[in-house]
Amino acid sequence: MPRRPMPSATRNLGLAHARAPHVGFLDADDVWLPDKLSEQIAILARHPDAGLVYGRTLMWNSWIGDGTHDDFFYDLGLPPDRLYRPPRLFELLLENRAQTPTVCNALVRRTLVEDVGGFEPAFRGMFEDQVFFAKALLRAPAWLDGRVWARYRQRGDSCTARSATAGGDERARLRYLRWLAHYLRAHDALDSRVRRTIAREMVRAQVRMGRRTLRRLVRGA
């Protein structure tokens, strides 16, 4: 049986050895654009209360080179080039309707990484990044920028693509939302507005799971 990937544990191992004031992540198949670090570090220097910064991420399909796959961007969901205080970007992350921080794009202060306890080892694939960014966006202001800083390679054999094909993406999302609700209760951060948002997203995930199950039953009938 193949071993399950453990990106959270791997990232935490790297973080344990990090000594610089800022932390960025670059998975093996993604690409940073040339001015990413210099521009992001300059932003954090101008906004000392910002815990992280992120911008647009190119969903990179054209790397395949066959001319049939177009690159694209997701909408940022909010006006860029400004600082947002919690919980606005946290709520945007929960709503899952726009691009939020991606691992290859964001630059995070190491102090914020330490404050939120890094990545959660229990998440070994889908949503390990969203769990981390949910904690970070709830804890500190973040700068949302309109520039493009990274290319996120799209692959048919990625963990996300395999899970979506198997119908596991909604199950994983429901687990993530339940974990998040428990985390917020434990940290006394589950106010009424956030509670309603999480409850609504749980219902949506359950409805989508039910629809997929129904479609499979109909096809098998």
Side-chain angles (χ1 to χ4, degrees), residues 51-69:
L52 69 148
V53 54
Y54 71 96
R56 296 186 184 277
T57 299
L58 179 71
M59 300 295 111
W60 189 24
N61 286 300
S62 61
W63 69 273
I64 298 173
D66 60 6
T68 63
H69 298 77

Side-chain angles (χ1 to χ4, degrees), residues 11-213:
R11 298 192 204 284
N12 284 339
L13 179 62
L15 289 169
H17 294 277
R19 295 295 178 267
H22 307 106
V23 176
F25 305 93
L26 183 62
D27 292 343
D29 53 355
D30 300 329
V31 173
W32 282 352
L33 298 187
D35 296 324
K36 174 188 186 293
L37 291 179
S38 62
E39 292 175 352
Q40 290 182 328
I41 289 172
I43 289 171
L44 291 177
R46 291 196 302 270
H47 301 278
D49 51 343
L52 69 148
V53 54
Y54 71 96
R56 296 186 184 277
T57 299
L58 179 71
M59 300 295 111
W60 189 24
N61 286 300
S62 61
W63 69 273
I64 298 173
D66 60 6
T68 63
H69 298 77
D70 293 329
D71 299 333
F72 67 94
F73 296 97
Y74 288 110
D75 188 80
L76 289 174
L78 290 169
D81 305 322
R82 65 186 64 182
L83 187 72
Y84 287 92
R85 300 190 176 278
R88 188 62 194 97
L89 292 177
F90 170 80
E91 293 171 335
L92 188 67
L93 182 73
L94 283 185
E95 292 164 1
N96 197 34
R97 296 180 178 180
Q99 184 211 300
T100 46
T102 57
V103 171
C104 62
N105 193 308
L107 189 70
V108 189
R109 294 191 193 276
R110 184 163 56 89
T111 52
L112 177 58
V113 176
E114 294 169 350
D115 286 345
V116 301
F119 289 76
E120 295 295 327
F123 285 81
R124 297 186 174 189
M126 289 192 69
F127 292 96
E128 53 90 17
D129 53 343
Q130 291 199 35
V131 167
F132 170 76
F133 286 119
K135 296 190 298 181
L137 294 174
L138 189 66
R139 181 69 63 91
W143 179 270
L144 174 60
D145 205 276
R147 283 171 284 190
V148 182
W149 281 321
R151 296 175 182 172
Y152 183 10
R153 192 187 305 263
Q154 305 297 288
R155 303 175 60 100
D157 59 351
S158 69
C159 175
T160 301
R162 291 197 306 270
S163 183
T165 301
D169 50 342
E170 295 302 337
R171 289 192 297 273
R173 177 165 171 75
L174 192 57
R175 175 175 177 252
Y176 153 70
L177 291 169
R178 287 170 174 162
W179 180 93
L180 189 56
H182 176 77
Y183 172 85
L184 295 174
R185 282 194 297 269
H187 290 77
D188 196 26
L190 193 60
D191 64 26
S192 59
R193 189 168 71 177
V194 172
R195 184 184 297 110
R196 288 193 299 271
T197 301
I198 291 178
R200 183 183 66 242
E201 294 305 320
M202 282 183 175
V203 169
R204 287 176 174 168
Q206 290 168 333
V207 168
R208 286 190 289 264
M209 286 174 59
R211 287 174 176 168
R212 280 187 171 175
T213 300

